[in-house]
Amino acid sequence: MTVDPVHEWPIPPAGGFTVDDFLQLRDLPNHTELIDGGLVFVSPQRKWHRQVTSMFRRALDAQTPENLRADREMAVWLGPRQMPEPDVLVVTAEAFDRPEPESYYFVEDVVLAVEVVSPDSEERDRDTKPRKYSMAGIPHFWRVERGSEDRVVVYAYELDPVSVRYVPVGIYHDRLKTSSPFDLDVDLTAARERG
């Protein structure tokens, strides 16, 4: 591990950072997240992660209804000390086109959050972030895992409004065909194709 001896890292205040604090911080590494008032730094993306993230953003944006849009790697203001950054999101078209804020969405803008699991994000993507997303009320969550031979496996969840927890609605290999949150048909084997 290399440490920059000149750079001064932010010291959290008592009780951790708030979203307001987080938005004022400068010179943080790309894709830094705020979870439970702490800064989470992510390691550089691997090719598989980048390719799958790009495929999902393209496929979702091409198939969303007119009132929705897909975006990637944008923070979501979940609460006073929570600002994670899903790999892919489906948000309202109004939020997508809104000029301000420029660097994040509000939780009520988000219809679907997608996390593409990496070795350094397994616990966050499988446990921490889905719990935060469900408690905040995001209706749909997909966890994308790397299967054998680099195959894409999607675990789809929908929010149960009574328990405020995600319930599984499907596991997809090779093809993701669903009508929730909208009609969608994605060839999961296309992650490495041009497009």
Side-chain angles (χ1 to χ4, degrees), residues 7-189:
H7 192 86
E8 290 185 31
W9 293 102
I11 310 258
F17 291 106
T18 65
V19 169
D20 290 328
D21 298 329
F22 180 64
L23 292 172
Q24 298 304 313
L25 295 172
R26 298 291 175 250
D27 300 323
L28 292 174
N30 288 341
H31 311 297
T32 300
E33 299 178 285
L34 180 69
I35 297 178
D36 296 330
L39 300 178
V40 176
F41 304 112
V42 297
S43 62
Q45 286 185 357
R46 295 179 180 203
K47 288 179 186 176
W48 185 88
H49 184 280
R50 182 182 48 77
Q51 291 163 349
V52 170
T53 299
S54 294
M55 183 222 26
F56 270 102
R57 207 259 343 129
R58 281 191 315 269
L60 287 168
D61 202 45
Q63 297 182 50
T64 57
E66 287 295 314
N67 63 326
L68 299 174
R69 290 295 307 268
D71 207 346
R72 64 179 283 171
E73 299 166 332
M74 288 289 289
V76 180
W77 188 324
L78 295 185
R81 298 175 349 112
Q82 315 295 337
M83 191 170 244
E85 183 181 291
D87 291 311
V88 181
L89 315 89
V90 173
V91 298
T92 65
E94 178 185 357
F96 186 87
D97 293 332
R98 186 172 51 222
E100 295 292 332
E102 215 173 67
S103 61
Y104 60 90
Y105 290 109
F106 297 105
V107 69
E108 58 269 16
D109 299 331
V110 183
V111 173
L112 167 67
V114 180
E115 292 293 352
V116 180
V117 178
S118 295
D120 74 313
S121 70
E122 285 178 354
E123 289 182 40
R124 286 190 309 277
D125 291 348
R126 292 175 179 167
D127 181 50
T128 306
K129 290 169 91 173
R131 280 188 295 108
K132 303 292 183 195
Y133 296 154
S134 65
M135 289 187 305
I138 294 176
H140 300 272
F141 171 72
W142 294 350
R143 189 182 79 243
V144 181
E145 299 269 354
R146 187 177 194 169
S148 62
E149 300 177 15
D150 293 340
R151 292 175 67 192
V152 176
V153 181
V154 178
Y155 297 83
Y157 301 87
E158 192 169 297
L159 186 64
D160 172 5
V162 175
S163 67
V164 195
R165 292 187 179 171
Y166 287 126
V167 294
V169 293
I171 300 173
Y172 301 91
H173 306 263
D174 297 329
R175 176 160 239 98
L176 190 161
K177 191 167 184 173
T178 184
S179 59
S180 181
F182 48 86
D183 288 335
L184 184 69
D185 189 354
V186 179
D187 178 4
L188 298 177
T189 65

